[in-house]
RNA sequence: GCGCCCGUAGCUCAGUCGGAUAGAGCACCAGAUUCCUAAUCUGGAGGUCGCAGGUUCGAAUCCUGCCGGGCGCGCCA
């Protein structure tokens, strides 16, 4: 039901027909022929670049080729007008009835409007959040969490088989520090230590209950044991406790991932060895010496041979170490194992959502994925820039005291899940985002969350008014589908249908580009168009949605209002935001 | 020093696998407003798209080189 791809098919068919008739060469490559919305409404409903794309290969002037196509297109029953403009654009105008029928289709499809089979059921893995399980999530994680979650929903709507995944980094030195922190809290609960925690441990009080529970369960039996005796157990306990909290915090944001992959489990299952085996005989792993980084030389730099992966063969700037000096695998090695694991689970499209501070790591993982999958899997790393918290324009203080920070949970509690989710998508992922705790709660046009929600709420208030004016009438979606839409004659009304009709294209474009923020921008535009039409009735009462002496016209306009509601609701649901029926508190 | 990201109106930012006269909100200016639902509305002004080359029918978009900002740069994750 994508108008643009539908008419692209029409144009393609006409090109084919012209080829069959011998009017165009048979070997044209028409893959770059596109049908798009024109920038200027005056240029019509659709614009097509076919003539410019094919002119050279066809040995024709673009405008001559355009005329050839125009002759055919003018015969199409749904096309009311074809113009050739500029260097050879084909500008198409569609019948008003085409748009009215489209509105009927929107109402019939309901929430499924905008669904696409573009993905054709292809499995896609979206890995997001993946924060170290050493403490609660903070605001920085919220952006990646929302981004990843909405991207997953978007891909799902576009027809992909999406898996939402979290990678648990439970194998490195950081979780050992977590284990020691748990032990310290445990000792504290037993009264054996007090005051400030030693350096290198996690001082936040979120481990206090873990220590207490452990003391209550096991008493003092771990107290005087050597670290070797308790480290593994305490580590697992700490990781489990942190992951439980993280999942709980994510749930507060409306996020539920279905697969949690443990780095430790992967390593213990021999997945890193599998990496080595996979590239065996390809001379991709070797023992060598790396050059020290230029410019900023670490003080303790010492040249030494180490096990390296030949990442530079795949576009990385340097080869990368797989083993640490103590002989254990680096994080990079287990990350290769993880990506190989994802590939072996059947994913050829891998999307990772990371913080921008990991940007320097992208090339080596991409190199690894290319090497391990023979170029069969595609990795797209989406980097999310920082979120700056503001309070009415002033930078909010992030740190209350050492060891604490503004957590994701605090943010959600302060402004609500829906606001967090929407605002996080009001910027492209690679642009820094200002999150103003005060302004996101204002009820004004500057606040996009409010503005879009208001459009949805307004659709309900219009329905309530319609029912007041015509108590016996039926303004359900089912009834609206039978409305006499020929009564929609105002150009702004038809324009609103056209804006609605841009939704499927928005979904597909955003899904293809992995850019969920486009949904937020589209919804804002749709809301603006709806509010503008509403506002026109202030000056011209004949444009009101509810027309007291004309039930048929009211019914037709209600169909339009319900079309707007359908798309706003559908878009908000993809964003994980609950559409509201009423804004009055 | 190297790599990645960014640079678009006074401010914050969109800009569709390259498309026609580059858009929106805020701020500013000028009007309207006893209005079905309240959280206003309409219009105006505002641009060498960081700079300079290149690619082509066409460049904010692609390529190269500079300038400016952010992030990162063995044995952390």
């Amino acid at each position: 039901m994508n108008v643009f791809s539908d008419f692209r098919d029409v144009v393609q068919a006409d090109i084919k027909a012209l080829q069959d008739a011998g009017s165009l060469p048979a070997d044209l490559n028409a893959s770059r022929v596109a049908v798009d919305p024109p920038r200027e409404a005056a240029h019509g409903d659709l614009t097509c670049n076919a003539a410019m794309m094919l002119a050279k290969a066809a040995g024709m002037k673009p405008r001559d080729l355009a005329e050839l196509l125009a002759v055919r297109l003018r015969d199409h029953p749904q096309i009311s007008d074809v113009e050739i403009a500029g260097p050879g654009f084909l500008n198409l105008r569609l019948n008003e009835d085409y748009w009215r029928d489209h509105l009927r289709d929107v109402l019939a499809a309901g929430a499924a409007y905008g669904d696409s089979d573009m993905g054709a059921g292809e499995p896609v893995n979206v890995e997001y959040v993946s924060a170290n399980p050493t403490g609660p999530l903070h605001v920085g994680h919220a952006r990646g969490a929302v981004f990843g979650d909405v991207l997953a929903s978007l891909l799902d709507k576009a027809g992909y088989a999406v898996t939402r995944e979290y990678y648990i980094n439970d194998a490195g030195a950081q979780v050992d520090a977590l284990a020691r922190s748990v032990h310290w809290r445990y000792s504290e609960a037993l009264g054996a230590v007090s005051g400030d925690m030693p350096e290198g441990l996690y001082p936040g009080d979120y481990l206090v209950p873990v220590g207490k529970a452990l003391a209550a369960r096991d008493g003092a039996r771990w107290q005087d044991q050597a670290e070797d005796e308790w480290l593994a157990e305490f580590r697992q306990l700490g990781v489990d406790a942190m992951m439980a909290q993280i999942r709980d915090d994510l749930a507060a944001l409306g996020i539920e991932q279905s697969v949690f992959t443990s780095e430790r489990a992967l390593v213990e299952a021999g997945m890193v060895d599998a990496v080595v085996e996979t590239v065996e005989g390809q001379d991709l792993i070797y023992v060598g010496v790396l050059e020290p980084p230029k410019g900023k030389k670490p003080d303790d730099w010492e040249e030494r041979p180490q096990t390296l992966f030949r990442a530079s063969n795949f576009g990385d700037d340097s080869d990368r170490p797989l083993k640490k000096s103590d002989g254990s695998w680096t994080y990079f090695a287990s990350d290769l194992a993880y990506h190989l694991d994802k590939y072996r689970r059947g994913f050829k499209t891998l999307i990772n959502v990371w913080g921008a501070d990991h940007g320097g790591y992208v090339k080596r993982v991409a190199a690894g994925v290319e090497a391990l999958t023979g170029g069969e899997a595609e990795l797209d790393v989406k980097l999310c820039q920082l979120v700056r918290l503001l309070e009415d324009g002033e930078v909010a203080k992030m740190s209350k005291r050492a060891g604490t920070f503004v957590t994701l949970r605090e943010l959600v509690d302060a402004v609500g899940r829906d606001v967090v989710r929407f605002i996080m998508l009001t910027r492209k992922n690679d642009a820094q985002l200002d999150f103003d705790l005060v302004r996101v709660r204002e009820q004004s046009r500057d606040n996009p969350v409010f503005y879009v929600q208001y459009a949805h709420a307004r659709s309900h208030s219009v329905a309530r008014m319609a029912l007041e004016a015509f108590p016996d009438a039926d303004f359900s979606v089912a009834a609206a589908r039978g409305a006499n839409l020929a009564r929609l004659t105002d150009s702004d009304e038809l324009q609103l249908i056209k804006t609605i009709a841009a939704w499927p294209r928005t979904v597909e474009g955003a899904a293809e580009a992995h850019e969920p923020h486009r949904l937020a921008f589209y919804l804002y535009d749709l809301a603006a168009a709806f509010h503008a039409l509403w506002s026109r009735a202030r000056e011209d009462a004949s444009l009101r949605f509810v027309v007291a002496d004309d039930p048929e016209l009211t019914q037709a306009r209600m169909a339009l209002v319900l079309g707007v509601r359908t798309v706003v609701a559908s878009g908000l649901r993809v964003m994980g935001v609950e559409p509201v029926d009423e804004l009055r508190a």
Side-chain angles (χ1 to χ4, degrees), chain A residues 129-135 137 166-170 178 236-250 257 259-261:
Chain A
V129 191
S130 297
N132 290 333
T134 52
L137 299 176
Y166 188 117
Y167 182 48
I168 309 171
N169 297 127
D170 53 359
L178 177 74
Q236 193 58 48
L237 217 72
V239 168
D240 289 348
M242 286 302 100
M243 283 310 299
Q245 184 178 348
I246 285 169
R247 291 170 80 143
D248 200 46
D249 288 351
L250 287 173
Q257 286 147 294
V259 176
F260 290 77
T261 300

mmCIF file of all heavy atoms in Angstrom, chain A residues 129-135 137 166-170 178 236-250 257 259-261:
data_model
loop_
_atom_site.group_PDB
_atom_site.id
_atom_site.type_symbol
_atom_site.label_atom_id
_atom_site.label_comp_id
_atom_site.label_asym_id
_atom_site.label_seq_id
_atom_site.Cartn_x
_atom_site.Cartn_y
_atom_site.Cartn_z
ATOM 1 N N VAL A 129 21.747 -1.930 24.385
ATOM 2 C CA VAL A 129 22.041 -1.706 25.803
ATOM 3 C C VAL A 129 23.367 -2.407 26.132
ATOM 4 O O VAL A 129 24.413 -1.774 26.120
ATOM 5 C CB VAL A 129 20.934 -2.142 26.762
ATOM 6 C CG1 VAL A 129 21.250 -1.603 28.160
ATOM 7 C CG2 VAL A 129 19.563 -1.643 26.316
ATOM 8 N N SER A 130 23.319 -3.712 26.383
ATOM 9 C CA SER A 130 24.541 -4.472 26.647
ATOM 10 C C SER A 130 25.497 -3.757 27.602
ATOM 11 O O SER A 130 26.716 -3.804 27.445
ATOM 12 C CB SER A 130 25.284 -4.794 25.336
ATOM 13 O OG SER A 130 24.491 -5.615 24.510
ATOM 14 N N ALA A 131 24.937 -3.081 28.588
ATOM 15 C CA ALA A 131 25.768 -2.390 29.577
ATOM 16 C C ALA A 131 26.452 -3.411 30.475
ATOM 17 O O ALA A 131 25.914 -4.490 30.731
ATOM 18 C CB ALA A 131 24.915 -1.450 30.417
ATOM 19 N N ASN A 132 27.644 -3.087 30.954
ATOM 20 C CA ASN A 132 28.320 -3.969 31.887
ATOM 21 C C ASN A 132 27.450 -4.178 33.122
ATOM 22 O O ASN A 132 26.913 -3.211 33.655
ATOM 23 C CB ASN A 132 29.652 -3.363 32.328
ATOM 24 C CG ASN A 132 30.642 -3.357 31.201
ATOM 25 O OD1 ASN A 132 30.572 -4.186 30.300
ATOM 26 N ND2 ASN A 132 31.558 -2.412 31.238
ATOM 27 N N PRO A 133 27.362 -5.423 33.571
ATOM 28 C CA PRO A 133 26.482 -5.688 34.721
ATOM 29 C C PRO A 133 27.176 -5.349 36.040
ATOM 30 O O PRO A 133 27.240 -6.160 36.949
ATOM 31 C CB PRO A 133 26.218 -7.193 34.599
ATOM 32 C CG PRO A 133 27.448 -7.723 33.944
ATOM 33 C CD PRO A 133 27.937 -6.643 33.015
ATOM 34 N N THR A 134 27.683 -4.139 36.119
ATOM 35 C CA THR A 134 28.406 -3.742 37.326
ATOM 36 C C THR A 134 27.696 -2.620 38.064
ATOM 37 O O THR A 134 28.213 -2.107 39.042
ATOM 38 C CB THR A 134 29.823 -3.278 36.967
ATOM 39 O OG1 THR A 134 29.739 -2.280 35.949
ATOM 40 C CG2 THR A 134 30.657 -4.445 36.454
ATOM 41 N N GLY A 135 26.532 -2.233 37.571
ATOM 42 C CA GLY A 135 25.805 -1.166 38.241
ATOM 43 C C GLY A 135 24.527 -0.889 37.486
ATOM 44 O O GLY A 135 24.288 -1.476 36.423
ATOM 45 N N LEU A 137 21.651 1.019 35.211
ATOM 46 C CA LEU A 137 21.700 1.800 33.973
ATOM 47 C C LEU A 137 21.567 3.285 34.296
ATOM 48 O O LEU A 137 20.819 3.672 35.183
ATOM 49 C CB LEU A 137 20.561 1.382 33.048
ATOM 50 C CG LEU A 137 20.558 -0.080 32.600
ATOM 51 C CD1 LEU A 137 19.312 -0.378 31.773
ATOM 52 C CD2 LEU A 137 21.816 -0.407 31.797
ATOM 53 N N TYR A 166 20.740 -8.834 24.173
ATOM 54 C CA TYR A 166 21.598 -8.134 25.142
ATOM 55 C C TYR A 166 22.826 -8.998 25.357
ATOM 56 O O TYR A 166 22.715 -10.204 25.605
ATOM 57 C CB TYR A 166 20.829 -7.975 26.456
ATOM 58 C CG TYR A 166 21.473 -7.120 27.522
ATOM 59 C CD1 TYR A 166 20.846 -5.944 27.964
ATOM 60 C CD2 TYR A 166 22.668 -7.493 28.150
ATOM 61 C CE1 TYR A 166 21.406 -5.164 28.966
ATOM 62 C CE2 TYR A 166 23.229 -6.716 29.144
ATOM 63 C CZ TYR A 166 22.593 -5.553 29.556
ATOM 64 O OH TYR A 166 23.150 -4.788 30.549
ATOM 65 N N TYR A 167 23.986 -8.395 25.240
ATOM 66 C CA TYR A 167 25.243 -9.119 25.434
ATOM 67 C C TYR A 167 25.769 -8.795 26.823
ATOM 68 O O TYR A 167 26.016 -7.626 27.138
ATOM 69 C CB TYR A 167 26.241 -8.687 24.365
ATOM 70 C CG TYR A 167 27.587 -9.378 24.389
ATOM 71 C CD1 TYR A 167 27.686 -10.765 24.477
ATOM 72 C CD2 TYR A 167 28.764 -8.640 24.299
ATOM 73 C CE1 TYR A 167 28.918 -11.392 24.478
ATOM 74 C CE2 TYR A 167 30.003 -9.261 24.291
ATOM 75 C CZ TYR A 167 30.078 -10.643 24.381
ATOM 76 O OH TYR A 167 31.299 -11.258 24.380
ATOM 77 N N ILE A 168 25.909 -9.809 27.635
ATOM 78 C CA ILE A 168 26.334 -9.593 29.023
ATOM 79 C C ILE A 168 27.847 -9.733 29.124
ATOM 80 O O ILE A 168 28.393 -10.827 28.947
ATOM 81 C CB ILE A 168 25.665 -10.608 29.975
ATOM 82 C CG1 ILE A 168 24.156 -10.621 29.763
ATOM 83 C CG2 ILE A 168 26.010 -10.287 31.412
ATOM 84 C CD1 ILE A 168 23.444 -11.744 30.509
ATOM 85 N N ASN A 169 28.516 -8.640 29.413
ATOM 86 C CA ASN A 169 29.974 -8.663 29.575
ATOM 87 C C ASN A 169 30.324 -9.125 30.989
ATOM 88 O O ASN A 169 30.626 -8.321 31.864
ATOM 89 C CB ASN A 169 30.563 -7.279 29.307
ATOM 90 C CG ASN A 169 30.323 -6.829 27.881
ATOM 91 O OD1 ASN A 169 29.805 -5.741 27.652
ATOM 92 N ND2 ASN A 169 30.665 -7.662 26.925
ATOM 93 N N ASP A 170 30.285 -10.421 31.167
ATOM 94 C CA ASP A 170 30.454 -10.954 32.522
ATOM 95 C C ASP A 170 31.753 -11.748 32.651
ATOM 96 O O ASP A 170 31.862 -12.647 33.459
ATOM 97 C CB ASP A 170 29.265 -11.860 32.867
ATOM 98 C CG ASP A 170 29.046 -12.936 31.821
ATOM 99 O OD1 ASP A 170 29.801 -12.970 30.815
ATOM 100 O OD2 ASP A 170 28.116 -13.742 31.975
ATOM 101 N N LEU A 178 33.417 -6.333 40.566
ATOM 102 C CA LEU A 178 32.052 -6.416 41.094
ATOM 103 C C LEU A 178 31.985 -7.463 42.203
ATOM 104 O O LEU A 178 31.399 -7.224 43.269
ATOM 105 C CB LEU A 178 31.073 -6.775 39.975
ATOM 106 C CG LEU A 178 29.622 -6.966 40.408
ATOM 107 C CD1 LEU A 178 28.966 -5.625 40.723
ATOM 108 C CD2 LEU A 178 28.815 -7.698 39.339
ATOM 109 N N GLN A 236 29.072 -14.383 40.168
ATOM 110 C CA GLN A 236 27.809 -14.796 39.566
ATOM 111 C C GLN A 236 26.625 -14.155 40.278
ATOM 112 O O GLN A 236 25.668 -13.684 39.656
ATOM 113 C CB GLN A 236 27.679 -16.324 39.601
ATOM 114 C CG GLN A 236 26.565 -16.848 38.718
ATOM 115 C CD GLN A 236 26.754 -16.421 37.263
ATOM 116 O OE1 GLN A 236 27.836 -16.556 36.697
ATOM 117 N NE2 GLN A 236 25.713 -15.855 36.655
ATOM 118 N N LEU A 237 26.740 -14.130 41.598
ATOM 119 C CA LEU A 237 25.686 -13.528 42.410
ATOM 120 C C LEU A 237 25.519 -12.052 42.070
ATOM 121 O O LEU A 237 24.404 -11.542 41.907
ATOM 122 C CB LEU A 237 26.076 -13.671 43.877
ATOM 123 C CG LEU A 237 24.965 -13.956 44.862
ATOM 124 C CD1 LEU A 237 24.486 -15.384 44.690
ATOM 125 C CD2 LEU A 237 25.488 -13.725 46.268
ATOM 126 N N GLY A 238 26.665 -11.369 41.971
ATOM 127 C CA GLY A 238 26.643 -9.936 41.650
ATOM 128 C C GLY A 238 26.071 -9.696 40.262
ATOM 129 O O GLY A 238 25.222 -8.820 40.069
ATOM 130 N N VAL A 239 26.537 -10.481 39.294
ATOM 131 C CA VAL A 239 26.054 -10.317 37.920
ATOM 132 C C VAL A 239 24.551 -10.586 37.862
ATOM 133 O O VAL A 239 23.793 -9.821 37.252
ATOM 134 C CB VAL A 239 26.808 -11.254 36.957
ATOM 135 C CG1 VAL A 239 26.124 -11.291 35.603
ATOM 136 C CG2 VAL A 239 28.253 -10.808 36.817
ATOM 137 N N ASP A 240 24.127 -11.655 38.529
ATOM 138 C CA ASP A 240 22.696 -11.972 38.519
ATOM 139 C C ASP A 240 21.872 -10.840 39.124
ATOM 140 O O ASP A 240 20.811 -10.470 38.598
ATOM 141 C CB ASP A 240 22.432 -13.277 39.276
ATOM 142 C CG ASP A 240 22.940 -14.488 38.505
ATOM 143 O OD1 ASP A 240 23.269 -14.328 37.313
ATOM 144 O OD2 ASP A 240 23.015 -15.577 39.103
ATOM 145 N N ALA A 241 22.382 -10.311 40.229
ATOM 146 C CA ALA A 241 21.639 -9.224 40.885
ATOM 147 C C ALA A 241 21.585 -7.998 39.986
ATOM 148 O O ALA A 241 20.538 -7.355 39.846
ATOM 149 C CB ALA A 241 22.299 -8.873 42.223
ATOM 150 N N MET A 242 22.719 -7.679 39.367
ATOM 151 C CA MET A 242 22.743 -6.498 38.504
ATOM 152 C C MET A 242 21.866 -6.696 37.275
ATOM 153 O O MET A 242 21.150 -5.794 36.861
ATOM 154 C CB MET A 242 24.180 -6.192 38.066
ATOM 155 C CG MET A 242 25.054 -5.593 39.144
ATOM 156 S SD MET A 242 24.369 -4.051 39.796
ATOM 157 C CE MET A 242 23.619 -4.605 41.306
ATOM 158 N N MET A 243 21.933 -7.883 36.695
ATOM 159 C CA MET A 243 21.123 -8.129 35.501
ATOM 160 C C MET A 243 19.632 -8.095 35.853
ATOM 161 O O MET A 243 18.813 -7.624 35.056
ATOM 162 C CB MET A 243 21.488 -9.468 34.868
ATOM 163 C CG MET A 243 22.787 -9.442 34.077
ATOM 164 S SD MET A 243 22.914 -8.093 32.868
ATOM 165 C CE MET A 243 21.522 -8.476 31.781
ATOM 166 N N ALA A 244 19.289 -8.560 37.040
ATOM 167 C CA ALA A 244 17.882 -8.502 37.444
ATOM 168 C C ALA A 244 17.435 -7.046 37.537
ATOM 169 O O ALA A 244 16.346 -6.674 37.080
ATOM 170 C CB ALA A 244 17.694 -9.212 38.786
ATOM 171 N N GLN A 245 18.320 -6.220 38.091
ATOM 172 C CA GLN A 245 17.964 -4.804 38.214
ATOM 173 C C GLN A 245 17.906 -4.130 36.842
ATOM 174 O O GLN A 245 17.013 -3.329 36.562
ATOM 175 C CB GLN A 245 18.969 -4.087 39.115
ATOM 176 C CG GLN A 245 18.567 -2.640 39.338
ATOM 177 C CD GLN A 245 19.513 -1.894 40.257
ATOM 178 O OE1 GLN A 245 20.363 -2.491 40.922
ATOM 179 N NE2 GLN A 245 19.373 -0.582 40.288
ATOM 180 N N ILE A 246 18.875 -4.470 36.003
ATOM 181 C CA ILE A 246 18.901 -3.878 34.665
ATOM 182 C C ILE A 246 17.636 -4.241 33.887
ATOM 183 O O ILE A 246 16.998 -3.393 33.259
ATOM 184 C CB ILE A 246 20.168 -4.338 33.906
ATOM 185 C CG1 ILE A 246 21.395 -3.592 34.463
ATOM 186 C CG2 ILE A 246 20.030 -4.120 32.410
ATOM 187 C CD1 ILE A 246 22.733 -4.151 33.991
ATOM 188 N N ARG A 247 17.253 -5.498 33.991
ATOM 189 C CA ARG A 247 16.047 -5.925 33.272
ATOM 190 C C ARG A 247 14.816 -5.240 33.832
ATOM 191 O O ARG A 247 13.881 -4.896 33.086
ATOM 192 C CB ARG A 247 15.895 -7.447 33.353
ATOM 193 C CG ARG A 247 16.974 -8.148 32.550
ATOM 194 C CD ARG A 247 16.990 -9.633 32.821
ATOM 195 N NE ARG A 247 15.965 -10.348 32.090
ATOM 196 C CZ ARG A 247 16.145 -11.560 31.571
ATOM 197 N NH1 ARG A 247 17.296 -12.184 31.696
ATOM 198 N NH2 ARG A 247 15.177 -12.152 30.922
ATOM 199 N N ASP A 248 14.842 -5.035 35.110
ATOM 200 C CA ASP A 248 13.729 -4.342 35.745
ATOM 201 C C ASP A 248 13.661 -2.888 35.280
ATOM 202 O O ASP A 248 12.588 -2.364 34.973
ATOM 203 C CB ASP A 248 13.929 -4.416 37.263
ATOM 204 C CG ASP A 248 12.637 -4.175 37.995
ATOM 205 O OD1 ASP A 248 11.623 -4.771 37.583
ATOM 206 O OD2 ASP A 248 12.638 -3.389 38.962
ATOM 207 N N ASP A 249 14.818 -2.258 35.219
ATOM 208 C CA ASP A 249 14.855 -0.861 34.762
ATOM 209 C C ASP A 249 14.429 -0.759 33.310
ATOM 210 O O ASP A 249 13.726 0.179 32.918
ATOM 211 C CB ASP A 249 16.276 -0.285 34.925
ATOM 212 C CG ASP A 249 16.619 -0.043 36.390
ATOM 213 O OD1 ASP A 249 15.716 -0.162 37.251
ATOM 214 O OD2 ASP A 249 17.795 0.257 36.680
ATOM 215 N N LEU A 250 14.868 -1.706 32.503
ATOM 216 C CA LEU A 250 14.479 -1.699 31.089
ATOM 217 C C LEU A 250 12.974 -1.910 30.956
ATOM 218 O O LEU A 250 12.319 -1.294 30.116
ATOM 219 C CB LEU A 250 15.238 -2.776 30.316
ATOM 220 C CG LEU A 250 16.720 -2.485 30.070
ATOM 221 C CD1 LEU A 250 17.400 -3.696 29.436
ATOM 222 C CD2 LEU A 250 16.906 -1.257 29.190
ATOM 223 N N GLN A 257 13.986 -7.625 26.187
ATOM 224 C CA GLN A 257 14.773 -8.338 25.191
ATOM 225 C C GLN A 257 14.603 -9.835 25.390
ATOM 226 O O GLN A 257 14.381 -10.301 26.507
ATOM 227 C CB GLN A 257 16.246 -7.910 25.303
ATOM 228 C CG GLN A 257 16.472 -6.508 24.748
ATOM 229 C CD GLN A 257 17.554 -5.742 25.456
ATOM 230 O OE1 GLN A 257 17.421 -5.416 26.639
ATOM 231 N NE2 GLN A 257 18.636 -5.443 24.752
ATOM 232 N N VAL A 259 16.785 -12.384 24.122
ATOM 233 C CA VAL A 259 17.989 -13.198 24.210
ATOM 234 C C VAL A 259 19.050 -12.444 24.997
ATOM 235 O O VAL A 259 19.343 -11.279 24.709
ATOM 236 C CB VAL A 259 18.531 -13.545 22.805
ATOM 237 C CG1 VAL A 259 19.845 -14.313 22.915
ATOM 238 C CG2 VAL A 259 17.507 -14.353 22.026
ATOM 239 N N PHE A 260 19.600 -13.103 26.001
ATOM 240 C CA PHE A 260 20.702 -12.545 26.779
ATOM 241 C C PHE A 260 21.880 -13.499 26.641
ATOM 242 O O PHE A 260 21.818 -14.633 27.096
ATOM 243 C CB PHE A 260 20.304 -12.398 28.251
ATOM 244 C CG PHE A 260 19.290 -11.321 28.488
ATOM 245 C CD1 PHE A 260 17.954 -11.529 28.185
ATOM 246 C CD2 PHE A 260 19.672 -10.090 28.987
ATOM 247 C CE1 PHE A 260 17.013 -10.520 28.382
ATOM 248 C CE2 PHE A 260 18.736 -9.084 29.186
ATOM 249 C CZ PHE A 260 17.411 -9.299 28.882
ATOM 250 N N THR A 261 22.918 -13.032 25.977
ATOM 251 C CA THR A 261 24.056 -13.909 25.734
ATOM 252 C C THR A 261 25.190 -13.552 26.687
ATOM 253 O O THR A 261 25.602 -12.398 26.775
ATOM 254 C CB THR A 261 24.530 -13.769 24.277
ATOM 255 O OG1 THR A 261 23.456 -14.139 23.417
ATOM 256 C CG2 THR A 261 25.727 -14.677 24.020
#
